[in-house]
Amino acid sequence: MGIENLVISITPEPIFHIKNFPITNTTIITLIVSVIIIAVSFFARKRFKLVPKGAQNVIETVIEALLGMVDGVTGDRKQTKIFFPLVATIFIFVILINWVELIPGLGTIGIKETHHGKEVITPFIRSSSADLNLTLAIAFVSVFSAQFAGIAFLGIRKYLSKFFVNPFKKPYFVGTFVGVLELISECAKIISFSFRLFGNIFAGEVLLLLSLFLVPYFFNLLPLPFLFLELFVGFIQALVFSMLTLVFLKSATIEH
């Protein structure tokens, strides 16, 4: 495959169709990663022993680190137990789909197709985070979970009073204006969440693809720094996404 076969598409590429519904490469990657997480969780729970060894040590280290992180923000073990499953699931899922871009064959192994008389490759491998539909879906889960947490902890009337303030009571119109701003900021979180993750990972995939073609073959070790960079970016983006989710959950439970 040469650079002339390379097509950079901002939308995920359909691999096949079920009736009229397209199954894209990111849909397949998302399903595979989801099945892996569920399978590992199921077998780990069944096989965990009192004295850990091998892979159990790694899993317990990751879980303890995440638990400490959640504890540090909530400062309350009762809240930690409620928020931890969502925050940990988001972190593990996002970091795994981010690191898919490091799999050999990214963008280069796929189905040969002809578009407008030109032979191109429809790749099998594409990170799910490079699909705006998925990042938008995770952002919706994160932001709506914060709203549910706020209602559950404060009650629906007290929680809504954060956004809808009577302009004829103190602090009068200032309070109403601040409430409207709060409501807009809640909606803006969905946009900032989804586009930040999508933009970083999509740009990383393009960088990796171009680095494969733009360097001479005898410098084939040159893309290595980019791979390490994307390893780091994938981790940071997963950490930022899960930490912000946690902070939003915590702040939603606090009265003004």
Side-chain angles (χ1 to χ4, degrees):
M1 177 185 167
I3 195 167
E4 65 277 4
N5 303 113
L6 181 65
V7 174
I8 295 173
S9 169
I10 202 164
T11 56
E13 298 86 353
I15 301 297
F16 61 92
H17 290 76
I18 298 178
K19 293 189 176 179
N20 292 324
F21 187 79
I23 304 297
T24 64
N25 42 14
T26 54
T27 305
I28 296 170
I29 293 293
T30 302
L31 288 174
I32 292 172
V33 170
S34 302
V35 169
I36 289 172
I37 292 174
I38 293 168
V40 169
S41 304
F42 179 77
F43 287 110
R45 186 170 178 272
K46 289 281 182 189
R47 292 172 179 269
F48 262 27
K49 294 175 180 173
L50 191 60
V51 181
K53 59 180 181 180
Q56 186 178 340
N57 277 316
V58 178
I59 294 171
E60 286 194 5
T61 302
V62 172
I63 297 297
E64 281 177 13
L66 289 172
L67 193 63
M69 181 182 82
V70 179
D71 254 346
V73 173
T74 63
D76 179 353
R77 180 47 71 101
K78 190 180 172 184
Q79 275 192 353
T80 296
K81 286 181 179 177
I82 297 170
F83 297 157
F84 178 75
L86 176 67
V87 175
T89 303
I90 287 178
F91 176 79
I92 292 169
F93 180 69
V94 172
I95 199 170
L96 289 179
I97 58 174
N98 287 351
W99 283 351
V100 164
E101 65 178 356
L102 304 176
I103 295 175
L106 170 80
T108 57
I109 298 175
I111 305 166
K112 275 190 178 180
E113 293 180 338
T114 304
H115 287 290
H116 306 293
K118 183 183 171 187
E119 199 171 65
V120 297
I121 295 286
T122 300
F124 290 135
I125 303 170
R126 174 173 176 152
S127 168
S128 306
S129 299
D131 181 349
L132 188 57
N133 297 303
L134 185 90
T135 58
L136 201 55
I138 307 174
F140 269 111
V141 170
S142 171
V143 173
F144 277 102
S145 297
Q147 312 310 314
F148 288 131
I151 292 169
F153 276 83
L154 301 177
I156 188 162
R157 190 173 177 180
K158 197 173 282 184
Y159 182 70
L160 291 180
S161 68
K162 287 183 174 183
F163 309 110
F164 304 103
V165 181
N166 190 336
F168 301 108
K169 290 184 179 178
K170 284 185 178 180
Y172 303 112
F173 288 100
V174 174
T176 306
F177 181 67
V178 171
V180 172
L181 287 182
E182 288 269 359
L183 193 60
I184 294 171
S185 76
E186 291 298 316
C187 300
K189 284 173 187 173
I190 296 172
I191 298 170
S192 69
F193 250 170
S194 52
F195 277 89
R196 182 193 297 112
L197 182 58
F198 167 74
N200 276 285
I201 301 304
F202 181 72
E205 284 203 355
V206 173
L207 177 69
L208 288 175
L209 271 174
L210 292 179
S211 68
L212 285 174
F213 290 103
L214 295 182
V215 294
Y217 290 127
F218 51 87
F219 286 139
N220 56 5
L221 292 179
L222 207 56
L224 272 180
F226 296 118
L227 287 173
F228 285 116
L229 175 66
E230 287 310 309
L231 192 72
F232 179 70
V233 170
F235 169 75
I236 290 296
Q237 287 304 315
L239 188 64
V240 167
F241 208 109
S242 53
M243 276 299 290
L244 285 177
T245 300
L246 177 59
V247 170
F248 294 154
L249 286 166
K250 177 64 182 176
S251 60
T253 64
I254 299 171
E255 287 186 58
H256 278 187

